[in-house]
């Protein structure tokens, strides 16, 4: 995983689209290495039946929580599943899955992912860097280069599903990730019902339409707060914004997940949100997952 200085500087120059290679004495060796890399990435991705990227124009809407739980749910249903956490500035998937103390090992030229149960393999920077509390300050091309290495050196082998927790926004990073994963990667868009989130997320849908990846649907998270004492529903972030957006943008609506303190409690304890939370959360998540499985059969 450690890149030497030469590779690092090339990664930083990647954005200049090859012009930085002009006159470089190692151009040929470098280009053949890059071709090998691409072949290896293609070979790895070919072994995966369905790739799903979770995108959101806005941060803090529950992307990591939902990504981790989608992966865990699929694994518990018996599907061989991988999750790749490439939200490098906030790799929270390990905490949500209760594996933040585990370390991914680097052996025999492979990154040995952390396992959760029988069927889930997790690849996250949170299990690689020594101190997750340290801020990660990397420029885009370095991050893309690291994502390539995640795929290239992964130990996934055959998978039914690969879930990718993408960085928020519609900038270079999600774009490069989708390009790397391929045009057959399905996208799930996440939003809260709040207008500011919906506006950002509208851009995510336009972005997918532009790059041509199929949108599996939209999930509205934090949709209505359920009082644990009286069961009353309070629409803290507004109501139905995601559902309306799905209708407006002609994409499937996968469902609403309520805002519920049990989601926070379970996620902080490394427990699933689809077990031992509240009935509305468990029912909603179950419906969303049935819909996702149906669409990816
Ligand atoms: P993102 O990855 O979009 O930044 P996170 O998954 O880290 O968002 O979630 C942000 C916070 O919101 C976390 O504290 C998480 O536990 C909480 N959260 C996510 N979904 C819900 C929900 N449905 N109800 C209550 N809290 C939630």
């Amino acid at each position: 995983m450690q890149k030497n200085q030469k590779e690092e500087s090339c990664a930083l120059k990647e954005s200049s689209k090859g012009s930085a290679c002009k006159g470089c004495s190692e151009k040929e060796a470098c280009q053949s290495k890059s071709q090998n890399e691409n072949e290896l990435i293609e070979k790895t991705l070919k072994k995966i039946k369905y790739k799903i990227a979770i995108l959101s124009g806005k941060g803090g809407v529950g992307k990591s929580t939902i990504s981790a739980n989608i992966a865990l749910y699929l694994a518990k249903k018996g599907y061989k599943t991988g999750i790749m956490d490439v939200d490098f500035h906030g790799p929270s998937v390990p905490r949500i899955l209760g594996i933040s103390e585990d370390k991914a090992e680097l052996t025999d030229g492979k990154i040995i992912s952390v396992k959760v149960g029988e069927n889930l393999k997790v690849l996250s920077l949170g299990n690689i860097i020594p101190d997750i509390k340290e801020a990660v300050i990397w420029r885009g091309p370095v991050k893309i280069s690291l994502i390539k290495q995640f795929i290239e050196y992964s130990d996934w082998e055959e998978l039914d599903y690969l879930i990718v927790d993408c960085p928020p926004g519609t900038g270079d990073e999600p774009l490069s990730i989708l390009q790397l994963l391929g045009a057959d990667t399905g996208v799930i868009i996440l939003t809260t019902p709040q207008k500011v989130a919906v506006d950002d997320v509208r851009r995510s849908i336009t972005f997918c339409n532009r790059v041509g990846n199929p949108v599996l649907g939209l999930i509205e998270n934090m949709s209505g707060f359920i009082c644990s004492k009286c069961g009353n529903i309070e629409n803290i972030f507004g109501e139905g914004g995601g559902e309306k957006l799905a209708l407006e943008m002609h994409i499937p609506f996968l469902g609403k997940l309520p805002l519920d303190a049990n989601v926070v409690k379970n996620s902080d304890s490394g427990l699933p949100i689809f077990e031992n939370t509240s009935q509305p959360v468990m029912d909603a998540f179950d419906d969303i997952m049935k819909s996702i499985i149906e669409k990816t059969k």
Side-chain angles (χ1 to χ4, degrees), residues 265-281:
K265 203 170 86 194
N266 277 31
S267 301
D268 281 353
S269 319
L271 298 169
I273 65 167
F274 50 86
E275 287 170 6
N276 301 315
T277 49
S278 60
Q279 205 56 50
V281 168

Side-chain angles (χ1 to χ4, degrees), residues 56 58-67 87 90 92 96 165-166 168 190 220-225 257-265 267-268 273 281:
S56 176
K58 199 161 186 63
V61 298
K63 192 172 43 57
S64 300
T65 308
I66 304 282
S67 303
D87 188 352
S92 43
I96 297 165
D165 180 10
C166 293
L190 194 67
E220 183 178 302
N221 188 27
M222 307 188 184
S223 180
F225 165 71
L257 198 69
L259 181 71
D260 188 311
N262 289 298
V263 170
V264 179
K265 203 170 86 194
S267 301
D268 281 353
I273 65 167
V281 168

Side-chain angles (χ1 to χ4, degrees), residues 51-68 83-93 144 147 162-179 181 185-190 204 207-208 213:
K51 294 162 282 171
I52 302 178
I54 317 288
L55 278 191
S56 176
K58 199 161 186 63
V61 298
K63 192 172 43 57
S64 300
T65 308
I66 304 282
S67 303
I83 179 165
M84 186 164 78
D85 176 9
V86 288
D87 188 352
F88 291 140
H89 297 285
S92 43
V93 166
I144 298 305
I147 296 167
L162 174 69
I163 308 299
V164 183
D165 180 10
C166 293
T170 49
D172 275 0
E173 282 171 48
L175 177 66
S176 306
I177 293 165
L178 286 186
Q179 280 171 341
L181 292 170
T185 304
V187 176
I188 291 177
I189 311 263
L190 194 67
S204 298
F207 166 86
C208 289
N213 283 66

